[in-house]
Coordinates of all heavy atoms in Angstrom, one line a residue:
G194 N 3.2 59.6 31.2 CA 1.8 60.0 31.3 C 1.3 59.4 32.6 O 1.7 58.4 33.0
A195 N 0.2 60.1 33.1 CA -0.6 59.5 34.2 C -2.0 59.9 34.1 O -2.3 60.9 33.4 CB 0.1 60.0 35.5
Q196 N -2.9 59.2 34.8 CA -4.3 59.4 34.7 C -5.0 59.0 36.0 O -4.6 58.0 36.6 CB -4.9 58.7 33.5 CG -6.4 58.9 33.3 CD -6.9 58.3 32.1 OE1 -7.3 57.1 32.1 NE2 -6.8 58.9 30.9
Y197 N -5.9 59.9 36.4 CA -6.7 59.6 37.6 C -8.1 59.6 37.2 O -8.6 60.5 36.6 CB -6.5 60.6 38.7 CG -7.4 60.5 39.9 CD1 -7.2 59.4 40.8 CD2 -8.5 61.3 40.1 CE1 -8.1 59.3 41.9 CE2 -9.4 61.2 41.1 CZ -9.2 60.2 42.0 OH -10.1 60.0 43.1
S198 N -8.9 58.5 37.6 CA -10.3 58.4 37.3 C -11.1 58.1 38.6 O -10.7 57.2 39.4 CB -10.6 57.3 36.3 OG -10.1 56.1 36.7
H199 N -12.2 58.8 38.8 CA -13.0 58.6 40.0 C -14.5 58.8 39.6 O -14.9 59.9 39.4 CB -12.6 59.5 41.1 CG -13.5 59.3 42.4 ND1 -13.4 58.2 43.2 CD2 -14.5 60.0 42.9 CE1 -14.3 58.3 44.1 NE2 -14.9 59.4 44.0
G200 N -15.2 57.7 39.3 CA -16.5 57.8 38.8 C -16.6 58.5 37.5 O -15.9 58.1 36.5
P201 N -17.4 59.6 37.4 CA -17.4 60.3 36.1 C -16.3 61.2 35.7 O -16.3 61.8 34.7 CB -18.8 61.1 36.2 CG -18.8 61.4 37.7 CD -18.3 60.2 38.4
L202 N -15.4 61.5 36.7 CA -14.3 62.4 36.5 C -13.0 61.7 36.1 O -12.6 60.7 36.7 CB -14.0 63.2 37.8 CG -12.8 64.1 37.8 CD1 -13.0 65.2 36.8 CD2 -12.5 64.6 39.2
V203 N -12.3 62.2 35.0 CA -11.0 61.7 34.6 C -10.1 62.8 34.4 O -10.4 63.8 33.8 CB -11.1 60.9 33.3 CG1 -9.8 60.3 32.8 CG2 -12.1 59.7 33.5
I204 N -8.9 62.8 35.0 CA -7.9 63.8 34.9 C -6.6 63.2 34.4 O -6.2 62.1 34.9 CB -7.6 64.5 36.2 CG1 -8.8 65.2 36.8 CG2 -6.5 65.6 36.1 CD1 -8.7 65.8 38.1
S205 N -6.0 63.8 33.3 CA -4.8 63.2 32.7 C -3.6 64.2 32.5 O -4.0 65.4 32.4 CB -5.2 62.6 31.4 OG -6.2 61.7 31.4
A206 N -2.4 63.7 32.4 CA -1.3 64.6 32.1 C -0.3 63.7 31.3 O -0.2 62.5 31.6 CB -0.7 65.1 33.4
A207 N 0.5 64.4 30.5 CA 1.5 63.7 29.6 C 2.6 64.6 29.2 O 2.4 65.8 29.2 CB 0.8 63.1 28.4
Y208 N 3.7 64.0 28.8 CA 4.9 64.7 28.5 C 5.7 63.9 27.4 O 5.8 62.7 27.6 CB 5.8 65.0 29.7 CG 7.2 65.5 29.3 CD1 7.5 66.8 29.0 CD2 8.3 64.6 29.2 CE1 8.7 67.3 28.7 CE2 9.6 65.0 29.0 CZ 9.8 66.4 28.7 OH 11.0 66.8 28.4
T209 N 6.1 64.5 26.4 CA 6.9 63.9 25.4 C 8.1 64.7 25.0 O 7.9 65.9 24.7 CB 6.1 63.5 24.1 OG1 5.2 62.5 24.5 CG2 7.0 62.9 23.0
N210 N 9.4 64.1 24.9 CA 10.5 64.8 24.4 C 11.1 64.0 23.3 O 11.6 62.9 23.5 CB 11.5 64.9 25.6 CG 12.8 65.7 25.2 OD1 13.0 66.0 24.1 ND2 13.6 66.0 26.2
V211 N 11.1 64.7 22.1 CA 11.6 64.0 20.9 C 12.9 64.8 20.5 O 12.9 65.9 20.1 CB 10.7 64.0 19.7 CG1 11.3 63.3 18.5 CG2 9.3 63.4 20.1
N212 N 14.1 64.1 20.7 CA 15.3 64.7 20.5 C 15.8 64.3 19.1 O 16.3 63.2 18.9 CB 16.4 64.3 21.5 CG 17.7 64.9 21.3 OD1 17.9 65.8 20.5 ND2 18.7 64.5 22.1
G213 N 15.6 65.2 18.1 CA 16.0 64.9 16.7 C 14.7 64.4 15.9 O 13.6 64.3 16.5
Q214 N 14.9 64.3 14.6 CA 13.8 63.9 13.8 C 13.6 62.4 13.8 O 14.1 61.6 13.1 CB 14.2 64.3 12.3 CG 14.2 65.9 12.2 CD 14.5 66.3 10.8 OE1 14.7 65.5 9.9 NE2 14.6 67.6 10.6
F215 N 12.8 62.0 14.9 CA 12.7 60.6 15.3 C 11.3 60.1 14.7 O 10.3 60.6 15.0 CB 12.6 60.6 16.8 CG 12.8 59.1 17.3 CD1 14.0 58.6 17.7 CD2 11.6 58.4 17.4 CE1 14.1 57.3 18.2 CE2 11.7 57.1 17.9 CZ 12.9 56.6 18.3
G216 N 11.4 59.0 13.9 CA 10.2 58.4 13.3 C 9.5 59.5 12.4 O 10.0 59.9 11.4
S217 N 8.4 59.9 12.9 CA 7.8 61.2 12.3 C 8.8 62.3 12.7 O 9.6 62.2 13.6 CB 6.5 61.5 12.9 OG 5.6 60.4 12.7
L218 N 8.8 63.4 11.9 CA 9.6 64.5 12.2 C 9.3 65.0 13.7 O 8.2 64.7 14.2 CB 9.4 65.7 11.3 CG 9.8 65.4 9.8 CD1 9.5 66.6 9.0 CD2 11.4 65.1 9.8
A219 N 10.2 65.7 14.3 CA 10.0 66.2 15.6 C 8.6 66.9 15.7 O 7.8 66.7 16.6 CB 11.1 67.1 16.1
S220 N 8.3 67.7 14.7 CA 6.9 68.2 14.5 C 6.7 67.9 13.0 O 7.4 68.3 12.1 CB 6.9 69.7 14.7 OG 5.7 70.2 14.2
I221 N 5.6 67.2 12.8 CA 5.3 66.7 11.4 C 5.2 67.8 10.3 O 5.4 67.6 9.2 CB 4.1 65.8 11.3 CG1 2.8 66.5 11.7 CG2 4.3 64.5 12.2 CD1 1.6 65.7 11.5
T222 N 4.8 69.1 10.8 CA 4.6 70.1 9.9 C 5.8 71.1 9.9 O 6.3 71.6 8.9 CB 3.3 70.9 10.2 OG1 2.2 69.9 10.2 CG2 3.0 72.0 9.1
L223 N 6.2 71.5 11.2 CA 7.2 72.5 11.4 C 8.6 72.0 11.2 O 9.5 72.7 10.9 CB 7.1 73.0 12.8 CG 5.8 73.8 13.1 CD1 5.9 74.2 14.6 CD2 5.7 75.0 12.3
G224 N 8.8 70.7 11.2 CA 10.1 70.1 11.1 C 10.8 70.4 12.4 O 10.3 70.3 13.5
G225 N 12.1 70.7 12.4 CA 12.8 71.1 13.6 C 13.7 69.8 14.1 O 13.5 68.7 13.7
N226 N 14.6 70.2 15.0 CA 15.5 69.2 15.5 C 15.0 68.4 16.8 O 15.4 67.4 17.1 CB 16.9 69.8 15.8 CG 17.7 70.1 14.6 OD1 17.4 69.5 13.6 ND2 18.6 71.0 14.7
A227 N 14.1 69.1 17.5 CA 13.6 68.5 18.8 C 12.3 69.2 19.1 O 12.0 70.3 18.8 CB 14.6 68.8 19.9
T228 N 11.5 68.4 19.8 CA 10.2 68.9 20.3 C 10.0 68.4 21.8 O 10.2 67.3 22.1 CB 9.0 68.3 19.5 OG1 9.1 68.8 18.2 CG2 7.7 68.7 20.1
R229 N 9.6 69.4 22.6 CA 9.2 69.1 24.0 C 7.8 69.5 24.1 O 7.5 70.7 23.9 CB 10.1 69.8 25.0 CG 11.5 69.3 25.0 CD 12.3 69.9 26.1 NE 13.7 69.4 26.2 CZ 14.6 69.7 27.1 NH1 14.2 70.6 28.0 NH2 15.8 69.2 27.1
T230 N 6.9 68.7 24.5 CA 5.5 69.0 24.6 C 4.9 68.4 25.9 O 5.3 67.3 26.2 CB 4.7 68.6 23.4 OG1 3.3 69.0 23.5 CG2 4.7 67.1 23.2
M231 N 4.0 69.1 26.5 CA 3.4 68.6 27.7 C 2.0 69.1 27.8 O 1.7 70.1 27.1 CB 4.1 69.0 29.0 CG 4.1 70.5 29.3 SD 5.2 70.9 30.7 CE 6.8 70.6 30.0
G232 N 1.1 68.4 28.5 CA -0.3 68.9 28.5 C -1.1 68.2 29.7 O -0.6 67.2 30.2
M233 N -2.2 68.8 29.9 CA -3.1 68.2 30.9 C -4.5 68.2 30.3 O -4.9 69.1 29.4 CB -3.2 69.0 32.2 CG -1.9 69.0 33.0 SD -2.0 69.7 34.6 CE -3.2 68.6 35.4
G234 N -5.3 67.3 30.7 CA -6.8 67.2 30.2 C -7.6 66.6 31.3 O -7.2 66.0 32.2
A235 N -8.9 66.9 31.1 CA -10.0 66.4 32.0 C -11.2 66.3 31.4 O -11.5 67.0 30.4 CB -10.0 67.4 33.3
R236 N -12.1 65.4 31.8 CA -13.5 65.3 31.4 C -14.4 64.8 32.5 O -13.9 64.2 33.4 CB -13.6 64.3 30.2 CG -13.1 62.9 30.5 CD -13.0 62.1 29.2 NE -12.5 60.7 29.4 CZ -11.3 60.4 29.4 NH1 -10.3 61.3 29.2 NH2 -11.0 59.1 29.6
Y237 N -15.6 65.2 32.3 CA -16.7 64.8 33.4 C -17.9 64.3 32.6 O -18.4 65.0 31.7 CB -17.0 66.0 34.2 CG -17.8 65.5 35.5 CD1 -17.2 65.2 36.7 CD2 -19.2 65.4 35.5 CE1 -17.9 64.8 37.8 CE2 -19.9 65.0 36.5 CZ -19.2 64.7 37.7 OH -20.0 64.3 38.8
S238 N -18.3 63.1 32.9 CA -19.5 62.5 32.2 C -20.8 62.7 33.0 O -20.8 62.1 34.2 CB -19.2 61.0 31.9 OG -18.0 60.9 31.1
F239 N -21.8 63.3 32.4 CA -23.1 63.3 33.0 C -23.8 62.2 32.3 O -23.3 61.3 31.6 CB -23.7 64.6 32.7 CG -23.0 65.8 33.4 CD1 -22.1 66.5 32.7 CD2 -23.3 66.1 34.8 CE1 -21.4 67.5 33.4 CE2 -22.7 67.2 35.4 CZ -21.7 67.8 34.7
T240 N -25.2 62.1 32.4 CA -26.0 61.1 31.9 C -25.8 61.0 30.4 O -25.5 60.0 29.7 CB -27.4 61.2 32.3 OG1 -27.5 61.2 33.7 CG2 -28.2 60.0 31.7
K241 N -26.0 62.2 29.7 CA -25.9 62.3 28.2 C -24.9 63.1 27.7 O -24.6 63.2 26.6 CB -27.3 62.7 27.6 CG -28.4 61.7 27.8 CD -29.7 62.2 27.0 CE -30.8 61.1 27.1 NZ -32.0 61.6 26.3

Side-chain angles (χ1 to χ4, degrees):
Q196 187 174 88
Y197 172 75
S198 58
H199 180 73
L202 175 66
V203 180
I204 302 173
S205 306
Y208 168 83
T209 295
N210 183 348
V211 181
N212 180 5
Q214 296 181 355
F215 190 96
S217 300
L218 294 177
S220 169
I221 62 170
T222 307
L223 296 175
N226 288 336
T228 294
R229 291 186 180 182
T230 183
M231 64 183 71
M233 294 189 65
R236 58 186 180 273
Y237 192 94
S238 300
F239 298 93
T240 303
K241 292 186 176 183

